[in-house]
Amino acid sequence: MELQLEYFLLLGAALFCIGIYGLVTSRNAVRVLMSVELLLNAVNLNLMGFSNFLDPVEIKGQVFTVFVITVAAAEAAVGLAIILAIYRNRDTIDMEQFNLLKW
Amino acid sequence: MDFSSTVASQLNAGVILPEGLVIITLMVVLVGDIILGRNASRQLSYVAIAGLLGSVVALYFQWDNSQTIGFLGGFNGDNLSIVFRGTIVLSTAFTILMSIRYIQQSGTALAEFVSILLTATLGAMFLCGANDLVMIFLSLETLSISSYLLTGYTKRDPRSNEAALKYLLIGAASSAIFLYGVSLLYGLSGGEIRLDAIAAQLTDLSSGQSLGVAIALVFAIAGIAFKISAVPFHQWTPDVYEGSPTPVVAFLSVGSKAAGFALAIRLLVTVFGQVTPEWQFIFTALAVLSMILGNVVALAQTSMKRMLAYSSIAQAGFVMIGLVAGSDDGYASMVFYLFIYLFMNLGAFTCVILFSLRTGTDQIAEYSGLYQKDPLLTLALSICLLSLGGIPPLAGFFGKIYLFWVGWQAGLYGLVLLGLVTSVVSIYYYIRVVKMMVVKEPHEMSDTVKNYPPIRWNLPGMRPLQVGLVLSLVATTLAGILSNPLFNLANSSISNSSVFQTASTPVILSESIINRQSLSE
Amino acid sequence: MLSAFILLPVLGAILISLVPNTNPNQNRPRIIALLFGGVILLWNVILGFQFDPSQTAMQFTEYIPWISWLGFNYHLGLDGLSLPLLFLNSFLTLIAIYSSNVNIQRPRFYYALILLLSTGVAGAFLAQDLLLFFLFYELEIIPLYFLIAIWGGGRRTYAAMKFLIYTALSGILVLAAFLGLVWFSGASTFDYEPLREQVIPLGIQLWLLAALLVGLLIKIPIFPFHTWLPDAHVEASTPVSVLLAGVLLKLGTYGLLRFGVGLFFEAWITLAPWLATLAAISALYGAFAAIAQQDMKKVVAYSSIAHMAYVLLAASASTPLALTAAMFQMISHGLISALLFLLVGVVYKKTGTRDVNVLRGLLNPEKGLPIIGSLMILGVMASAGIPGMVGFIAEFLVFRAAFPIFPLQTLVCLVGTGLTAVYFLLMINKVFFGRLTESLSQLPQVDWGDRIPAIILALFIVILGLQPSWMVRWSETDATALVVSPSLLSQVAQAPDQALSLGDELSMNVLPSRSGNN
């Protein structure tokens, strides 16, 4: 059986959907952050798949993936820092408790 | 052949000279802060303003540059990007002016704040000129991550924390969704990352491809709509505006939003030229929702910052009329409006900062009777708000006329009429604040205003605030009356930009392919 | 030259706001305002003498390109339609400034706003560019809003906000019509003159005109768009009421003539019967509503609605005679309602009430307000159309012009005129005749300062009533030019007598031969 591009894309899409599900249902801020990471990894899978099948010479997709991973790390760092700050002030990271600002 | 000169001409690094200046400024501020310590932070922020003004000058000299493509197609410094970058740099300069006193009074480090703000500016500037997918993603994230940091800058304030967290989570999710759309574009175009190359690949769509393009379009729009805070991607806006430090809000409402619109124009016009009716439809829906919801919910707000948040949502709705119009004039009207919006909105925020510095509150009710204690503030805030409401002969009126006229020409009668009606609604809530300040009798004065501190401009950091206030006041008053040069500027920025030509002609595209081949050899 | 009407008041407003607050001499803003008002009026009179009424073209035009891409130009011009209204504006502004309370709160802001208001109105009358008209039309909203909201009566914030919302809505409808007109006519500019040649399909014209009409009818106001006016009048202070009734309402009717008739003549003719009917309804409604009022100011406010409806009636007849009549009625209403509001203001100032059920016998020569009362009776007579006063000529002209075209509607309006006499006599009878009650017997003396503006207005009312040609000759030529467009001459020929020179006819002073009233 040959590995086809569709499998990568399907896996990516599945991962993306799991990420979205996690984003919507999680109450814990760290879990939300993890769900965002899932989304980014779905993107990475897509890029790698496309890069392998469509752009094997210049592998721009793989380069892109490196950038995404880097930025995701930065985002996670900032996110965790903010969560840490809010934990110090509020002693909780439960999203439902964050209701100082409401419309 | 001399390798280095070939590379230099290929890179054409001169196009990012303005960004280079901002980077140098950023370095100077960072290093200066480490060497000189906290006492010099105010001087360092003046250095930052000087650097930003230098960047504006550099932008000016790049106007009508014939070689706009730099970095092998990664960056496009055409006139469109110059106008947007100029708007962003100016908004940052204003933001620094108004933040010196604010940040010092909040007891946090000023130089670090300025550094992060400059980083965000850098991201926004690169975003305006970004011409390939990696570049777009990186600059978008540079802007976003710095914005999260800025939002949470007063880290002992739980409201600021909360705003930052909400902004971060929603923002990260939306940029991930945007990125997913981008990855689909990469695949659909058969492995291209340059916008014009992608567009060339997407010219004839098979049915499977067109579904893919539709998904990519929706995901990309989700990312853009988040940046420009269009309904229904606006949920973060009121919270972030209320919770974060006010200078940050000022920057987000102008600089970040301008970058979002620049991205929208470039991405939609270049890449999604084939599905123009589709994205115009989506943006019509977004504009309708933004104008209605933004204006109506703003009526009910009691906090000044929240009201301005909803007002900025509504203003984004107005600007989208220009985007939907889809003509050169439409984009020019957006450029014009954003430029004017820069002054009036930042002017309003300067006033809000000034008031909260003196009284410590942002509630609209607390403004009552202010005219007796602080006529200058009252005048400036009134003018800025009335201009936002589109009252002639202030700048906002001309901006709106231009947008509506362009929309009307494009046949968007319903949208324009809705814009007209909702701008009447907007007059209501803007004038409510003005009424609060001007109309109230002395005995109806709020306690806050009764205890209003004596006006002292010679406190440290107040001068720049005053300069910012007067500048934005003058600009808001005169930009309308003297708007012809601005109109011409906006029009020529569109007509001389390569975005709109590459979308139709493949000439530059083939050049770029040749360039790439010569490099790979 | 014409820019003086726009720049001078702005300059005055700036000067006034620069007067130091701590100055013990609180009168300085007032003096500056009076000075500027006087200079503007003088300038207006000088222009009036240089104005050539026999020309149809715009005179003293000024043209500066503003926003070239939009086709938006700063283009001012003066013709026979704008000159009398411009004069009315300068004149009433001066009167309003003069009759303002000397010890008014926040004088600097107050006088600056009145001058700004004058700028907006003058600019709208002079604008020869549609967007410029709209700009000034909107410009006048904010000063008036503040004038009502700050110096008004008990429910002033409500009334001011209502005024603001209605007028803003009116503004955007007008703007929508203008945008549509320029777009559909394919013109490259918002300039007025070129747009008169537009050829747009009638269907679209009708839509555009409908938008314009609703916008302007709110401003005039015509039933059912009138509800903001009584509130605004009741809450506004006297000088503001004078300006509101005297000048600001004229923006609406001026817009009707200039833009409704001038730009959409074909559609106008189509809609004219409906407009005439609306005018008749509005006249009757205003009259009946006025009868039911207890507040003197409300009586005058509703009479305003009724009288402005005559302008609409004449405009819908749209013959040269009718348009001249519409102009005359505008001026006449401007003078009369200004006089009535001034006098009601004096009564209120002296007695502290405007309730017709409380006031009694103010005409008492010893302890009452005899001169004010006499002037009031004069004003009321003028308003009811007693011969010898300006109201009679105006209404006579209106009915004379409208009757051949819309007989039924004109008859209804005639009934409305009859009702004018009814409600005003009811009011006069209660307030000025009868025994002066004890509570009112110790009225403070009315000083001459309060009487002078009213007397000047009364003089104008009588003079123009005796010598109507002094007024008619300004607008006659231009009113004719407004309707005579080559393709539509057949429409105009319906009314046989407009080719005559009205001025001659009127200077012979047609004797009263009116039916069904007084």
Side-chain angles (χ1 to χ4, degrees):
Chain A
M1 196 189 83
E2 206 182 329
L3 219 49
Q4 286 175 342
L5 176 57
E6 278 80 4
Y7 300 150
F8 288 95
L9 296 189
L10 281 176
L11 180 59
L15 211 52
F16 190 79
C17 293
I18 295 171
I20 293 283
Y21 175 79
L23 202 63
V24 177
T25 52
S26 301
R27 287 181 52 174
N28 188 312
V30 178
R31 278 179 69 140
V32 181
L33 213 56
M34 287 160 71
S35 307
V36 172
E37 295 298 315
L38 276 187
L39 295 181
L40 290 173
N41 284 333
V43 174
N44 285 341
L45 263 178
N46 262 3
L47 288 172
M48 292 302 278
F50 282 132
S51 169
N52 256 331
F53 283 85
L54 303 173
D55 185 23
V57 181
E58 294 189 355
I59 52 169
K60 293 187 284 270
Q62 298 184 23
V63 178
F64 203 156
T65 308
V66 175
F67 277 115
V68 174
I69 292 171
T70 318
V71 168
E75 207 164 53
V78 170
L80 288 174
I82 290 172
I83 292 175
L84 206 60
I86 205 166
Y87 182 73
R88 280 191 185 146
N89 280 332
R90 304 278 300 274
D91 278 339
T92 175
I93 50 169
D94 187 347
M95 291 300 284
E96 316 229 324
Q97 303 288 314
F98 299 149
N99 49 10
L100 284 177
L101 310 163
K102 54 170 164 279
W103 37 89
Chain B
M1 195 187 241
D2 185 7
F3 179 74
S4 61
S5 73
T6 324
V7 168
S9 70
Q10 293 273 335
L11 284 180
N12 189 16
V15 287
I16 60 158
L17 180 64
E19 282 81 357
L21 285 175
V22 176
I23 294 176
I24 292 171
T25 316
L26 172 58
M27 290 301 170
V28 169
V29 172
L30 263 182
V31 176
D33 186 38
I34 294 168
I35 295 175
L36 302 172
R38 242 184 178 190
N39 299 329
S41 58
R42 205 140 24 91
Q43 283 71 19
L44 283 175
S45 50
Y46 296 133
V47 170
I49 292 172
L52 289 168
L53 293 180
S55 171
V56 173
V57 173
L59 282 170
Y60 173 79
F61 282 113
Q62 296 206 335
W63 186 257
D64 277 339
N65 195 349
S66 56
Q67 285 288 315
T68 58
I69 307 280
F71 294 92
L72 308 170
F75 190 84
N76 186 354
D78 55 5
N79 285 355
L80 176 75
S81 79
I82 289 179
V83 171
F84 274 108
R85 282 142 85 199
T87 310
I88 289 162
V89 173
L90 282 178
S91 79
T92 309
F94 266 105
T95 308
I96 294 179
L97 279 180
M98 62 176 93
S99 57
I100 293 172
R101 176 78 192 167
Y102 188 95
I103 296 296
Q104 287 195 325
Q105 197 158 322
S106 74
T108 39
L110 177 61
E112 285 164 34
F113 178 84
V114 173
S115 318
I116 304 176
L117 188 63
L118 286 174
T119 316
T121 312
L122 209 54
M125 286 172 81
F126 274 122
L127 189 56
C128 295
N131 203 33
D132 76 27
L133 298 179
V134 178
M135 191 71 202
I136 289 178
F137 171 68
L138 282 181
S139 47
L140 185 68
E141 286 297 321
T142 312
L143 170 60
S144 302
I145 294 178
S146 336
S147 308
Y148 309 146
L149 288 173
L150 287 174
T151 308
Y153 194 70
T154 45
K155 59 175 184 268
R156 295 189 201 292
D157 176 9
R159 298 161 73 84
S160 177
N161 291 156
E162 192 176 317
L165 186 61
K166 283 183 179 171
Y167 192 29
L168 171 92
L169 294 178
I170 302 175
S174 90
S175 64
I177 291 170
F178 176 77
L179 200 55
Y180 192 80
V182 164
S183 76
L184 287 181
L185 277 181
Y186 173 65
L188 287 166
S189 64
E192 294 290 351
I193 54 169
R194 286 195 40 191
L195 296 186
D196 38 14
I198 294 172
Q201 293 290 324
L202 293 180
T203 40
D204 46 325
L205 303 172
S206 64
S207 61
Q209 250 190 332
S210 71
L211 178 69
V213 171
I215 296 174
L217 174 66
V218 170
F219 282 13
I221 287 182
I224 294 170
F226 166 78
K227 266 277 163 269
I228 61 179
S229 65
V231 180
F233 302 93
H234 69 286
Q235 264 90 355
W236 61 277
T237 318
D239 289 359
V240 169
Y241 276 37
E242 192 183 348
S244 41
T246 319
V248 177
V249 181
F251 175 73
L252 290 181
S253 74
V254 179
S256 167
K257 200 170 267 198
F261 274 110
L263 172 64
I265 294 180
R266 206 171 281 279
L267 198 59
L268 294 174
V269 173
T270 318
V271 176
F272 294 104
Q274 292 297 312
V275 287
T276 303
E278 282 77 8
W279 66 254
Q280 285 184 342
F281 174 76
I282 297 176
F283 269 96
T284 310
L286 293 180
V288 168
L289 289 174
S290 303
M291 286 191 285
I292 293 179
L293 191 121
N295 280 317
V296 171
V297 180
L299 291 176
Q301 299 308 316
T302 53
S303 153
M304 193 67 192
K305 278 162 86 177
R306 265 193 119 77
M307 191 207 84
L308 284 173
Y310 281 103
S311 126
S312 90
I313 293 173
Q315 302 280 347
F318 292 133
V319 178
M320 273 185 265
I321 294 178
L323 188 60
V324 176
S327 56
D328 282 7
D329 293 335
Y331 307 127
S333 69
M334 290 171 66
V335 170
F336 181 72
Y337 196 83
L338 282 173
F339 195 71
I340 279 179
Y341 181 69
L342 161 83
F343 292 110
M344 52 196 193
N345 213 37
L346 289 184
F349 273 113
T350 312
C351 297
V352 173
I353 289 175
L354 202 50
F355 186 75
S356 77
L357 280 179
R358 285 178 182 159
T359 63
T361 175
D362 289 322
Q363 293 299 309
I364 293 176
E366 301 293 343
Y367 281 78
S368 68
L370 186 62
Y371 77 94
Q372 289 207 318
K373 299 283 182 158
D374 197 342
L376 176 67
L377 181 57
T378 308
L379 176 75
L381 188 50
S382 305
I383 296 267
C384 288
L385 289 179
L386 291 178
S387 176
L388 281 169
I391 302 288
L394 303 171
F397 168 78
F398 292 89
K400 269 190 190 158
I401 285 276
Y402 195 15
L403 276 174
F404 290 154
W405 175 232
V406 164
W408 194 273
Q409 281 184 317
L412 310 168
Y413 307 124
L415 209 51
V416 172
L417 287 178
L418 184 73
L420 286 170
V421 171
T422 46
S423 56
V424 172
V425 177
S426 76
I427 292 175
Y428 181 85
Y429 60 78
Y430 290 127
I431 203 121
R432 206 164 54 105
V433 180
V434 180
K435 183 183 86 181
M436 209 43 107
M437 294 186 297
V438 176
V439 175
K440 293 287 182 190
E441 307 276 336
H443 61 85
E444 292 172 305
M445 202 185 283
S446 68
D447 292 340
T448 322
V449 174
K450 271 180 198 149
N451 302 326
Y452 204 71
I455 298 165
R456 287 172 56 196
W457 290 109
N458 51 7
L459 291 172
M462 282 308 249
R463 278 292 164 207
L465 204 55
Q466 190 187 22
V467 171
L469 185 70
V470 172
L471 274 182
S472 55
L473 180 62
V474 170
T476 308
T477 318
L478 294 183
I481 295 166
L482 307 174
S483 52
N484 202 27
L486 284 180
F487 267 94
N488 292 334
L489 183 78
N491 278 318
S492 62
S493 77
I494 298 298
S495 54
N496 298 341
S497 289
S498 55
V499 189
F500 309 100
Q501 285 125 37
T502 46
S504 51
T505 58
V507 179
I508 299 174
L509 174 68
S510 55
E511 268 176 24
S512 70
I513 291 170
I514 295 164
N515 286 346
R516 194 151 19 113
Q517 280 167 349
S518 66
L519 187 75
S520 57
E521 274 164 18
Chain C
M1 284 174 98
L2 295 181
S3 289
F5 292 105
I6 291 157
L7 296 180
L8 272 181
V10 174
L11 188 70
I14 293 173
L15 266 184
I16 287 172
S17 46
L18 289 182
V19 174
N21 201 13
T22 47
N23 196 326
N25 186 357
Q26 284 294 302
N27 271 329
R28 193 166 291 171
R30 181 184 164 88
I31 291 166
I32 297 176
L34 274 176
L35 203 69
F36 272 89
V39 169
I40 294 164
L41 182 62
L42 196 69
W43 185 236
N44 208 332
V45 172
I46 294 172
L47 269 191
F49 278 112
Q50 292 181 358
F51 181 81
D52 176 9
S54 60
Q55 267 188 26
T56 55
M58 290 292 162
Q59 303 181 29
F60 313 111
T61 49
E62 282 176 29
Y63 184 91
I64 303 169
W66 194 337
I67 298 169
S68 48
W69 182 83
L70 272 176
F72 175 27
N73 304 309
Y74 178 79
H75 187 185
L76 302 181
L78 190 67
D79 70 353
L81 294 187
S82 24
L83 181 65
L85 291 170
L86 192 65
F87 178 78
L88 192 67
N89 177 39
S90 315
F91 178 55
L92 289 184
T93 302
L94 187 58
I95 288 209
I97 294 171
Y98 180 81
S99 58
S100 299
N101 187 346
V102 182
N103 300 318
I104 195 156
Q105 293 290 309
R106 301 167 70 179
R108 296 184 302 160
F109 195 37
Y110 177 82
Y111 291 110
L113 283 176
I114 288 204
L115 285 177
L116 282 182
L117 191 62
S118 159
T119 300
V121 177
F125 286 144
L126 290 172
Q128 292 305 315
D129 183 287
L130 302 193
L131 276 185
L132 195 61
F133 173 81
F134 172 72
L135 192 154
F136 285 116
Y137 188 86
E138 290 272 299
L139 183 63
E140 131 275 327
I141 297 181
I142 297 298
L144 193 59
Y145 169 81
F146 282 128
L147 284 173
I148 298 175
I150 298 178
W151 294 276
R155 286 163 68 240
R156 58 182 182 275
T157 29
Y158 165 77
M161 199 48 105
K162 199 168 172 182
F163 159 80
L164 182 81
I165 298 291
Y166 270 81
T167 323
L169 208 62
S170 134
I172 62 146
L173 284 166
V174 171
L175 177 65
F178 286 170
L179 289 182
L181 170 71
V182 173
W183 170 237
F184 285 114
S185 68
S188 59
T189 159
F190 283 87
D191 226 25
Y192 175 71
E193 279 302 326
L195 282 171
R196 290 201 59 195
E197 332 274 87
Q198 50 89 6
V199 266
I200 300 179
L202 185 61
I204 295 174
Q205 265 198 44
L206 284 174
W207 276 105
L208 297 177
L209 180 62
L212 181 70
L213 275 177
V214 175
L216 294 175
L217 293 186
I218 290 173
K219 186 83 190 175
I220 292 176
I222 295 292
F223 175 85
F225 309 107
H226 65 280
T227 54
W228 63 272
L229 184 75
D231 284 322
H233 266 315
V234 169
E235 301 308 328
S237 62
T238 305
V240 177
S241 276
V242 167
L243 283 178
L244 179 59
V247 196
L248 283 154
L249 305 187
K250 307 301 177 289
L251 280 179
T253 41
Y254 172 79
L256 280 187
L257 295 190
R258 175 74 75 200
F259 303 108
V261 180
L263 293 176
F264 301 97
F265 194 70
E266 209 180 340
W268 182 269
I269 296 289
T270 318
L271 286 184
W274 299 99
L275 287 179
T277 311
L278 198 60
I281 294 172
S282 193
L284 270 194
Y285 172 84
F288 278 118
I291 291 177
Q293 299 310 317
Q294 305 301 316
D295 184 333
M296 284 173 77
K297 218 168 177 181
K298 272 201 165 169
V299 177
V300 184
Y302 276 104
S303 98
S304 255
I305 295 176
H307 281 88
M308 290 304 279
Y310 302 153
V311 183
L312 181 63
L313 177 74
S316 63
S318 61
T319 62
L321 175 66
L323 296 187
T324 315
M327 281 305 297
F328 208 121
Q329 171 69 13
M330 277 189 235
I331 301 297
S332 132
H333 174 258
L335 294 173
I336 295 171
S337 62
L339 174 65
L340 291 178
F341 276 119
L342 264 184
L343 295 174
V344 171
V346 176
V347 169
Y348 182 62
K349 190 170 147 193
K350 296 299 166 197
T351 64
T353 178
R354 296 187 300 251
D355 194 332
V356 291
N357 293 325
V358 176
L359 295 168
R360 276 287 171 282
L362 289 185
L363 208 54
N364 186 313
E366 299 285 312
K367 301 170 191 160
L369 311 166
I371 297 183
I372 296 299
S374 318
L375 287 169
M376 189 81 175
I377 290 170
L378 181 114
V380 162
M381 277 160 63
S383 183
I386 305 293
M389 269 162 281
V390 70
F392 165 71
I393 310 285
E395 284 171 28
F396 174 76
L397 275 177
V398 168
F399 297 136
R400 167 98 166 79
F403 189 74
I405 300 171
F406 302 116
L408 186 65
Q409 287 89 334
T410 311
L411 282 176
V412 175
C413 283
L414 279 171
V415 175
T417 314
L419 289 174
T420 308
V422 174
Y423 58 74
F424 272 141
L425 281 181
L426 280 174
M427 181 179 94
I428 290 289
N429 195 24
K430 280 185 180 164
V431 174
F432 289 101
F433 293 97
R435 268 184 69 85
L436 191 65
T437 47
E438 280 307 309
S439 57
L440 294 172
S441 59
Q442 296 306 323
L443 293 181
Q445 196 68 40
V446 181
D447 45 9
W448 280 99
D450 282 342
R451 288 175 188 149
I452 287 170
I455 290 174
I456 297 173
L457 275 170
L459 271 179
F460 265 94
I461 288 172
V462 174
I463 291 173
L464 282 182
L466 297 175
Q467 272 299 349
S469 62
W470 288 4
M471 156 65 212
V472 169
R473 67 188 200 97
W474 300 113
S475 22
E476 198 187 342
T477 332
D478 288 294
T480 317
L482 206 54
V483 279
V484 180
S485 93
S487 59
L488 297 155
L489 271 177
S490 57
Q491 291 283 0
V492 177
Q494 279 182 359
D497 52 341
Q498 81 281 87
L500 297 176
S501 170
L502 286 160
D504 294 344
E505 188 184 340
L506 276 162
S507 54
M508 286 184 272
N509 230 335
V510 188
L511 283 171
S513 59
R514 300 156 74 223
S515 53
N517 61 59
N518 301 330

